[in-house]
Amino acid sequence: MTMELDTTEVAAKTPDHEQPWAELGLKEHEYDRIRDILGRRPTNAELAMYSVMWSEHCSYKSSKVHLRRFGEQAPHSDALLVGMGENAGVVDVGHGYAVTFKIESHNHPSYVEPYQGAATGVGGIVRDILAMGARPIAVMDPLRFGPMDAPDTKRVLPGVVAGIGGYGNCLGLPNIGGEVVFDPSYAANPLVNALCVGVLRHEDIHLANASGVGNKIVLFGARTGGDGIGGASILASESFDDTKPSKRPSVQVGDPFMEKVLIECCLELFSARVVEGIQDLGAAGISCATSELASNGDGGMHVDLEKVLLRDPSLTPGEILMSESQERMMGVVAPENLDAFLAITAKWDVETAVIGEVTDTGRLVIDWHGETIVDVDPRTVAHDGPVYERPYERPAWQDDLQAASPSSLPRPAGGAQLRETLLQLAAAPNLASKSWVTDQYDRYVLGNTVLAQPENAGVVRIDDQTGLGVAVATDGNGRYTKLDPYAGAQLALAEAYRNVATSGARPVAVTDCLNFGSPEDPGVMWQFAEAVRGLADGCQTLGTPVTGGNVSLYNQTGDVAILPTPVVGVLGVLDDVARRTPLGFRETGHAIYLLGTTREEFGGSEWAHVVHGHLGGLPPAVDLDAERQLGEILIAAARDGLIDAAHDLSDGGLAQALVESTLRYGVGARVAVPGGIDPFVFLFSESQGRALVAVSPDTDERFVRLCAERGYPNQRIGVVGGAALSVDDLFDVDLDELRRAHESTFPAAFDA
Amino acid sequence: MRIGVVTFPGSLDDHDAARAVRVAGGDPVVLWHADADVRGVDAVVLPGGFSYGDYLRAGAIAGMAPVMSAVVDAARGGMPVLGICNGFQVLCEAHLLPGAMLRNEHLRFVCRDQRLRVENAATSWTSAYGQGQEIVVPLKNIDGCYVADERTLDELEAEGRVAFRYVGENPNGSLRDIAGITNARGNVVGLMPHPEHAVDALTGPTTDGLGFFTSVLEGMAHA
Amino acid sequence: MARVVVDVMLKPEILDPQGKAVHGALTRLGFDGVASVRQGKRFEIELDGEATPEAVAEVERAASTLLSNPVIEDFVVRVEAGV
Amino acid sequence: MARVVVDVMLKPEILDPQGKAVHGALTRLGFDGVASVRQGKRFEIELDGEATPEAVAEVERAASTLLSNPVIEDFVVRVEAGV
Ligand SMILES: Nc1ncnc2c1ncn2[C@@H]1O[C@H](COP(=O)(O)OP(=O)(O)O)[C@@H](O)[C@H]1O
Ligand SMILES: [Mg+2]
């Protein structure tokens, strides 16, 4: 038996009907505002719609006031074709090509169901890129987990990695990079961020909006089921029908095969020019897609909700609106193109339903079997949600934390101890080889991957003829950010920028995923505000605008928040990918140069973390002008063929960079500690703005001149060759022993 | 020389296979899973990927696609057919090659640069190699563990139909380190590793895979 | 020796891409009359000893923690007769 | 509407890495007393009509051609009672 349908008419007549707004996550004043906007109580369907669209996740209500900085402070860039605010930003890369890229989080679902949570995270970000009219060409996956030896990590990490691989591999998108970082703060809050890069021609950019009165609204792809509507089943008061599943799941299962077909189908629809725009369905499903399409277009839309193809016929209208079933897209199609549109979806066996059309009423009206259950101004749903100026305050403990400098920690002294420290760090979870993870990802598919893990940045070719390509790197250091959120965000930016430049590409744009604890904690809110300020200022200095990103809040267990973790992705352009710089030493006799200045900087360092379990002091100093200069040298040197290999210095300092550069091709190196510097500081400090470079004798002079012209500090510290990593007068480590240390950690932990 | 590359829904390496054909000097021809014929091509490549999501069993649903009847007929008539990875699985499911593929022994997807030995350099797709030559090409799969009963395996060995063997650590548990096999006539070859990803030094670990495509073109030129 | 069988199926409201693909293939191959297909996992667990209530309870525990994820899957444990 | 279940298991002589992994995990969780584990697939096929002998024969045919690969797998078809 079904209760009377809650139509707008019923709602107008029953103002006192009790509604479960609190259970749906709304605050009382938010519910009151909805009533104000509508001039009556919302229908159940409207309530469902507002509650998801006004959630933190969809409305950015706590972060919005801060994120504005990215737009307001965006450096001028001729390359930016589409800026923040769309599904993803679009950047000109030359020769008529444009690139779009974006990073998103799927943290909580990946803890509940690691495989499916991570898989659908990849699926969602790929659809964002596709909605811009671009062909997705690569993915990346920055990950954070609890301690490697925690039993739960052994459940979560293998599942997440298998899910990312399972989905991405099946879609045929090469995985070109990412991160795997461990810290106790992520134990019950793993971070699963996913980045996708897409490519398109300038003329093919599509913005998702519903304009053109009379144009059809078409829903295509997978059928709509009860996925991810956990909360909406509270609206079961709508129905007393007890045959329907009692508890709706809040986790979705993905179908990568469907998504692969959907990609090809959408690209064919775009290229046949039979679709005006396509919007992906992600969080908040049809609620989000209809209200966003309508408010970005002419403002009106009429939908007959019963036309939505269902997988589960027991779904109520409110549940259909909120369902987060994956692999669905919504298209806006001119009536004269409808037949051609349907022919293409039929060719790909993609189920399609015309569910409505664009109107000029300025209202989003949704009917259920002829009765109106939603009648709203779509802007009030999609854009004019609540905005909070949450209180923020530098936490009381921040001073103590910064005062707890690592300077008094015992340090290794002498060759034997330094050698042991180098091996200990090379084997530490955060620095050990990630190939146990990355070997589960296809990096070859599409045949354009020029660099992937374990290189500095992922590099993919876009155009066979010219060799045009892009480089992308993601970085983020939660420990640095905890010590100083403003600097931490800039350090994440600096590292990703440096990684891209080290591979020979010119950095042009930024995307970011801001993973933090609860915004209701003023200390966390301060971390967030500072990180945004740091990143916006940093992007201004480096001339790389933020083109889009994602915020993930409430990552905390009880009162304890995760390390504040802004993950920053930088995109760079290579005019010819044949000029990219790989990181491994190859040629005996090449000189090794260290660029940049090494200071005694151990706050937040990997050494303090691994050896002493210490976090305190200040993170390494940021100097973005130096980063830019270093970048210019590395890019020019790559373009002119002056260097054979390069590796940026970051976590673990010079020692770790040497480990990775020698192990890459099994070619050793011999270095000497320059006079005037403590060997421990030389090897393990994490000073910024540094890179290691291998230079052939043929180009040595020109390279040194290049550095000198730019006045950038550079030191010849050694030479490539041999079967060991040797530090003069201190120690030798055989590469076999080094490899065992570096490569055994993950298999030992996860091949139980 | 026209070499068809079949696209099933879920095929992923079809463009790369076509590119490899082109690099070797052939003309790639697009074949669609729902086609009833092979458009008069001289040879066919079944590319890698996850046809139909590889749901059920890898290659099982694709093995029954309309175009496969035409491919099976052409193969029985002597046309060179190469199945790479998912294509190899399809050839087994379509009974053009014996045996079957199971989930990798360690249950994980594996992507790595794999050393192989060419054990039979007399097939349509391997004549450019020396007998026993070792090559390195990418390997990437989750259902790559080749199995067949003992009698079949003995027969394959005795007739020289083990075309490729893994060298070094066996990456997936395949019986007798088998990486690829051929039919008795030598025109139908299937293997798990991906030669099409090793035809360009910029994007592949080597260019060792090119020989597959030059072999078949060469063979046809002299036919 | 006793055999305990654990069947794990996706919950009815959860998308089952494998079942969907099998259904599609059956239809294409001309097997009509099928309304839907769901694909799940079947575990056959041979016990060293008898299927005592304690042993079965242990299997139930394994089924709910290791063999299935209750967020998306349901399971059924049964002792197979006559093995 | 009737439900027919098809169980597909690897042949006994074929190695079953998934079953082995489950067995290993059970042992690590402290669950002794397991001699072996095999993992297979379970298909639940809902028919449009009744499970007539003809309909079941059709399912048998599908099981032997599509749902299982006779090189490596065995199958059992049964009509589920009371659905
Ligand atoms: N989860 C992952 N997915 C893909 N690639 C990864 C992942 N984790 C690490 N990598 C790759 O491994 C290499 C080393 O990672 P990392 O030490 O974090 O690099 P860096 O210090 O240069 O940022 C990089 O090429 C990185 O892209
Ligand atoms: Mg780096």
Side-chain angles (χ1 to χ4, degrees), chain A residues 316-338:
Chain A
T316 65
E319 290 174 330
I320 296 171
L321 284 171
M322 287 169 105
S323 162
E324 297 190 348
S325 289
Q326 302 290 294
E327 294 96 21
R328 296 180 300 164
M329 291 293 218
M330 190 171 280
V332 181
V333 185
E336 64 274 20
N337 291 329
L338 188 60

Side-chain angles (χ1 to χ4, degrees), chain A residues 645-658:
Chain A
H647 194 359
D648 75 299
L649 268 54
S650 57
D651 309 3
L654 175 67
Q656 180 66 15
L658 285 166

